[in-house]
Each structure stands twice: as structure tokens, then as C-alpha cells.
Amino acid sequence: MNLLNQKIISGWVFLLVCLLTQTTHVYGQKLPGTNDALPYPLDSWSFDDTNSWTSDEGFNPVSFTNITSWMFGDFTSLIIDTNVPAWVQFNTTEADGTNEIAVSTGTVAFWFAPDWGSVGDANGGSGPGESGRFIEIGSYTTNASYGWWSIFTDPGGTNFYFAAQTNNGTAYVLSAPIDLETNEWDFYAVTYSPTNVSLYFDGQLLTNDPGGLSIWPAASVLSHGFYIGSDTSGVYQAHGAIDDVQTYNVVLSSNQVWQLYNGFWPDYHLMPWNIPAISSGPSSPSDTPTYYQAITGTGDLQADGFVSGGYNGTNSFNVWLTNVTASLANNGTVTFTIGGGGPGVPYDVFANSVLSFGPTGYPWSWMGQGYQWNTYTITNIGASICFIILGTPKDTDGDGLTDAYELLVSKSSTTNANTSADGLSDASDVLLGLSISTNQVAQPGTRSNYSYNPVDWWGAVSGIKSGTNTMDAEGNILTVSQ
């Protein structure tokens, strides 16, 4: 070994020793060059316990699924980045009275590295593709009828948000623009009180609201805990790595936020293992279909929280409704819990005013998708009789529409992926608004023309209906714009 190699190796050893022995994680004392001592947090999550996922104070999560870890950040970090629901849920207040997160006055800080870049970034990026949650309590509703408290980004990953809702129609939101690069670590902090709310990014103040925060979810919503890296259903994920989450019941000063950022900065920007890219963790149960679903999302379902102590079905298709309640409030409201089934499997919810089946029966309305052991509410379903049933992910012909959707809504064949014989799958017909029973190509008066890309995948349709589509790597249609 020559002298140069010896110096390089010694340099790495010295670097790691310095990083591993620094005192930046010690609270309650002043650090060199600072004026404000950092208070001790309510709790923190460094995600070093990758078996039970306990907090740094030793508290167990309420539930978790489809999450993984990686040697990324300062040692290990939490990865929430799947195409099926994934979450880790903790109590807001433990059984012994320990407060884990404050919602009226306090600070939340964390590090995050996306597997995506912001839309418009110089290096290119597509954003998370959905409203990626970092920290969330409760559920967003369009009329603020439930209760919500969330730190998140928009689908393009271009804005950093803090928002809150009560259950009486009152809402609060503060945002600031950000620009993220794939696999790059950044530091986020939100401080909030009745007299001020501030958003920080990499130690710098982005914006503040001197009007302060005066609303937050009720105790009944707080009792369902808070989620790190996703919403309560595990669908709206941050899609990346999150680490060193810290909660306080006091407002950190700007100097303290800067101190916290600088204290952790070497761990995230000098550690040699922070070079590789984020990889997604395992997520699909063995009996989950491997083909895509064209009709997905929460739809009109309002998530009310996770129910602990639920039972799995005998398989992913053995699912049922339980805890059903109905009222005339909000022009007809039904609340229910999805029981049985399997973890991470989406279940369609359908509603109809008549109990109608068969190819000539009245079509049902698709209300959205939910997941096992979660409670949902549907409002504005009318004050008359209403029937609600669940559908499973079974798709016999693999056309992107579940058998339940084809039997109840589209009235198309469950064994023929191209019921209308027009050259497009049943899912494509539904997404484009074409008749699922009429062969447009064979009827010049109603004809649609199709174009294909160089590898012979369908690219666009023109004529009585026009639009373009986006596809996954296997040529499955993901979205259609008209």
C-alpha cells in the first residue's frame, strides 16, 4: 500500500470518527457558537429500531405496514415509497400520559430525501405525483367536517405546506415554494402557536404568519394518532426517506432552528453511504393482483381513521362491512369499517338506491377505494334508501377494471378485455368516455381514430372522443386526458 492510499484511508477513518463522536444530538445544553440552548424534545424518531419501529423514547407504534429502512441519512432512515398503502402510526398521547406531539403550540422538525425531483427543477422532476404527507393527524375533507393537521407537499413537489382543520368548517393553511432534487436531504421545520406560524427549510425562514394558529383537530381525532410519511390511509405517501423526526411543545426560535439544522447537517451530507439512490421497499401481498387498476383512489370516501385489533380475512378476497351507522345529516351520511381482507389491498365501495344486479340492472355508483380496518364516511348520498357493497380486486380478464366494477358499473364482460371489439380495452373505453358496448371502428358515423407509438402501444384517440394517455413500463394505461 503506498503512502497516498494510506492517507486516503486515514482521512475516511478520521471523518467517520468525528461524525460519530460529535455532540450535536445532545439537548438541554448550549453548543459552541450558539446563544440559545435546545430544549429536550417531546420525542424523536431516528428509526434505528427497524424491527419494532419504536420511538427514541421507547414507545411502540400503534400500527405499521409496507415500510422499510435503509442505510441512508445518519445511519438508518424510514422509507415510505410503495405503490400500495404504507404507513407507520404513533399515539399522540401515550397510555402513561406522555405527549408525543403538540398541535396548538410547538415545533416539528425532520429530514427528508425524495425519490423524485420537483417539477421545474433544473435537473428535471415529476414530483411525488400526489399530495405527499410528511406528518399527518386526521383526514382532509373539502368542508372541514372531520379534523386535520398536516405537513405535506403538493403533487409537483414545488410547495411546502402546513394546514389544519377543525370539524366545524374552519381551516388554516400556510405554504412556501421549495425546489427538491432526487435523493438530496433537506431539513424541514414548522413552528406554531396562537401568535405565529413559521416554515423553515434547510435552517432558513421561508415564510411566517403573525396571525398564528387557532384551530386544530378535536380530541376524538387526536385519539387516532399521527402518521409519519403518509396520510392515515397510507395512500398519499411522501415517496422517499424520512429521518430524525422531532416534536416539541415549545416554539423554537430562528436561531434554535438554525442550530438544529447545522447540528445534523454533517450526518446527511458527509456520510459516505449517502451516495446511492433510494429503492422502494417490498409492499405487495402475495395474493394481490399484479396487473394494474384503471379506477383507483379514495373517491368520495372520507377517511375517519384506523381501527386497531381488526381481523384478517381467510384471504384477500374475504372482506366485509362492519360498524355501520347511518343518519340523515349532510343529506344522508353512512359510516362503516372495512373488516377482513388483507393488508395493503384496495377494496372498491359501490352505492345504489336500488338493489339491482345483472347486465340490464341499474348501474351502481363507484364511491372510491378503502383498506382493511379503516373507517370511512360517505356524505350526500340522499335521504332515501341506499345500499352499499364492497368489491374485491379480482380482475378475471386483466383489462384494468375489477370484476365488481364491470358487473355493477360498466356492465361489461369480465372474461373479455375488449367487450366492444373496438381495439381498446374496457378500461380505455371507460377512461375516455367511449361506449363500452359499441364498436366505434365498425360504425363510420361514430368512429374514433387511434394512433400508436413506435412500439405499437396505443398513444391517442381522435374523432367523437379525443385524448392522450400516459402508460406504465408495461404499456398499461394509467391516466387519460381529454
Side-chain angles (χ1 to χ4, degrees):
M1 179 182 295
N2 61 36
L3 181 61
L4 177 60
N5 286 334
Q6 292 178 4
K7 288 182 178 179
I8 291 175
I9 294 175
S10 298
W12 275 115
V13 172
F14 175 75
L15 170 64
L16 291 176
V17 169
C18 288
L19 293 176
L20 297 179
T21 58
Q22 62 181 311
T23 59
T24 57
H25 294 41
V26 178
Y27 302 93
Q29 68 179 42
K30 292 183 178 180
L31 299 183
T34 64
N35 297 317
D36 297 333
L38 281 171
Y40 202 84
L42 292 172
D43 205 341
S44 59
W45 290 262
S46 58
F47 303 111
D48 292 334
D49 175 10
T50 57
N51 293 317
S52 302
W53 299 100
T54 55
S55 72
D56 295 341
E57 293 293 331
F59 291 107
N60 291 316
V62 177
S63 67
F64 61 88
T65 188
N66 295 327
I67 61 176
T68 188
S69 65
W70 198 26
M71 184 68 77
F72 191 47
D74 66 337
F75 304 109
T76 57
S77 59
L78 170 69
I79 306 295
I80 294 189
D81 183 27
T82 75
N83 59 358
V84 297
W87 69 75
V88 57
Q89 173 195 19
F90 287 90
N91 285 317
T92 55
T93 302
E94 300 294 344
D96 64 358
T98 300
N99 188 16
E100 294 285 74
I101 187 170
V103 295
S104 60
T105 299
T107 300
V108 174
F110 56 91
W111 287 81
F112 175 71
D115 77 345
W116 44 267
S118 296
V119 172
D121 180 76
N123 295 319
S126 59
E130 57 199 12
S131 182
R133 285 4 186 228
F134 299 126
I135 306 291
E136 179 139 305
I137 300 172
S139 298
Y140 167 79
T141 54
T142 56
N143 57 356
S145 60
Y146 179 65
W148 184 48
W149 195 98
S150 184
I151 302 170
F152 60 101
T153 185
D154 59 344
T158 57
N159 288 281
F160 169 26
Y161 288 88
F162 172 64
Q165 292 181 345
T166 62
N167 59 357
N168 63 4
T170 308
Y172 176 88
V173 64
L174 181 66
S175 67
I178 54 175
D179 184 6
L180 307 185
E181 294 186 16
T182 306
N183 301 323
E184 288 292 327
W185 284 100
D186 291 293
F187 176 75
Y188 300 73
V190 180
T191 64
Y192 46 92
S193 73
T195 58
N196 195 281
V197 177
S198 297
L199 304 182
Y200 294 86
F201 183 76
D202 285 342
Q204 300 290 331
L205 177 65
L206 292 181
T207 187
N208 76 296
D209 172 22
L213 180 69
S214 60
I215 61 172
W216 44 84
S220 60
V221 175
L222 297 178
S223 67
H224 292 297
F226 71 99
Y227 294 70
I228 299 176
S230 75
D231 67 336
T232 57
S233 67
V235 175
Y236 294 106
Q237 301 169 22
H239 289 294
I242 192 167
D243 202 5
D244 285 315
V245 179
Q246 299 179 31
T247 60
Y248 298 82
N249 61 355
V250 295
V251 174
L252 297 187
S253 67
S254 295
N255 187 51
Q256 289 173 320
V257 171
W258 177 253
Q259 177 183 340
L260 196 59
Y261 164 68
N262 274 316
F264 279 100
W265 185 90
D267 295 11
Y268 290 94
H269 291 274
L270 296 181
M271 285 294 192
W273 52 68
N274 283 334
I275 297 174
I278 295 173
S279 61
S280 298
S283 57
S284 295
S286 59
D287 51 2
T288 297
T290 58
Y291 39 77
Y292 83 112
Q293 289 188 11
I295 309 299
T296 62
T298 55
D300 294 320
L301 302 185
Q302 298 177 10
D304 295 340
F306 183 82
V307 176
S308 59
Y311 294 94
N312 282 323
T314 55
N315 55 54
S316 290
F317 305 109
N318 178 214
V319 65
W320 57 84
L321 295 174
T322 186
N323 301 330
V324 180
T325 62
S327 72
L328 295 176
N330 296 319
N331 191 30
T333 297
V334 174
T335 299
F336 58 87
T337 300
I338 297 178
V345 180
Y347 294 102
D348 292 309
V349 179
F350 303 93
N352 205 341
S353 59
V354 293
L355 200 58
S356 179
F357 300 98
T360 60
Y362 290 101
W364 290 63
S365 295
W366 181 83
M367 307 306 295
Q369 288 181 325
Y371 298 87
Q372 68 165 184
W373 309 344
N374 278 269
T375 299
Y376 299 94
T377 294
I378 306 176
T379 60
N380 295 312
I381 59 174
S384 61
I385 295 175
C386 180
F387 298 94
I388 294 177
I389 59 177
L390 287 176
T392 73
K394 183 179 181 181
D395 182 1
T396 301
D397 55 14
D399 60 1
L401 300 179
T402 65
D403 287 3
Y405 189 95
E406 295 200 84
L407 291 171
L408 297 173
V409 181
S410 62
K411 304 296 184 179
S412 49
S413 172
T414 61
T415 58
N416 182 358
N418 184 11
T419 302
S420 62
D422 61 358
L424 295 180
S425 69
D426 291 344
S428 300
D429 283 337
V430 168
L431 292 173
L432 279 166
L434 294 168
S435 170
I436 207 159
S437 60
T438 303
N439 185 339
Q440 308 287 346
V441 178
Q443 300 185 35
T446 61
R447 182 171 181 173
S448 292
N449 301 307
Y450 313 115
S451 64
Y452 298 86
N453 65 20
V455 293
D456 290 331
W457 286 345
W458 175 69
V461 61
S462 61
I464 61 167
K465 293 286 186 178
S466 62
T468 58
N469 68 286
T470 58
M471 295 179 293
D472 65 15
E474 296 179 348
N476 295 314
I477 300 169
L478 298 177
T479 60
V480 172
S481 61
Q482 296 186 59

